[in-house]
Amino acid sequence: MSEENNNLGDDLKKGAEDALDGAKDAAKKATEKAGDFAEEAKETAEEFVEEVKETFGSDNGENKKVLAGILGIVLGAFGVHKFILGYNKEGFILLGIFIAGFILSCFLIGYLFVWVPGVIGLIEGIIYLTKSDDEFYQTYQVGKKPWF
């Protein structure tokens, strides 16, 4: 029985060594695969960053034009389109007129103040969207024309 236990002990020892070698090989392969995956992910991220820079970092102002135009039409009363273009003073003026009109709406004069900034935003949004990209960029981003 003692020899049987020795053979069993040797078999277990050999099995444990084989399992350890297999685990080391698997870990090595997993490390290589993870390194390859990390390298591919890094390359993909760099390509994505370049693509975003090309799309949103362009000098023609196209993306600000579309964003400012749509926000001017939809949220023009709040002056959001002015804030997008960097005209904070004008944005606060539109927002202030809207808020004052909302507060004064219990008196009939307040309704005039509520819709005026909305109409201004609607008109400006349409103007922004109908201008060419270069004309929009030169007028509103380089020339800093704040109204219409």
Side-chain angles (χ1 to χ4, degrees), residues 45-146:
E46 288 172 353
E47 290 172 6
F48 177 73
V49 166
E50 287 301 316
E51 192 173 314
V52 167
K53 282 181 182 177
E54 288 175 11
T55 303
F56 294 107
S58 62
D59 288 338
N60 63 5
E62 176 186 357
N63 294 308
K64 278 193 174 182
K65 176 186 107 165
V66 173
L67 182 61
I70 290 172
L71 289 176
I73 291 170
V74 176
L75 298 172
F78 301 110
V80 176
H81 61 292
K82 295 292 188 184
F83 293 115
I84 293 295
L85 294 175
Y87 303 132
N88 293 335
K89 181 176 80 174
E90 291 80 5
F92 282 120
I93 289 171
L94 287 175
L95 183 60
I97 292 171
F98 180 80
I99 291 172
F102 187 76
I103 292 170
L104 293 174
S105 64
C106 13
F107 309 107
L108 292 177
I109 191 74
Y111 290 112
L112 175 69
F113 289 109
V114 169
W115 67 266
V116 167
V119 170
I120 291 172
L122 176 68
I123 292 169
E124 287 184 334
I126 292 170
I127 290 172
Y128 293 166
L129 292 175
T130 56
K131 287 191 178 286
S132 69
D133 294 342
D134 190 47
E135 187 180 7
F136 175 83
Y137 180 72
Q138 292 299 325
T139 305
Y140 297 106
Q141 291 183 290
V142 173
K144 294 289 185 183
K145 181 180 176 187

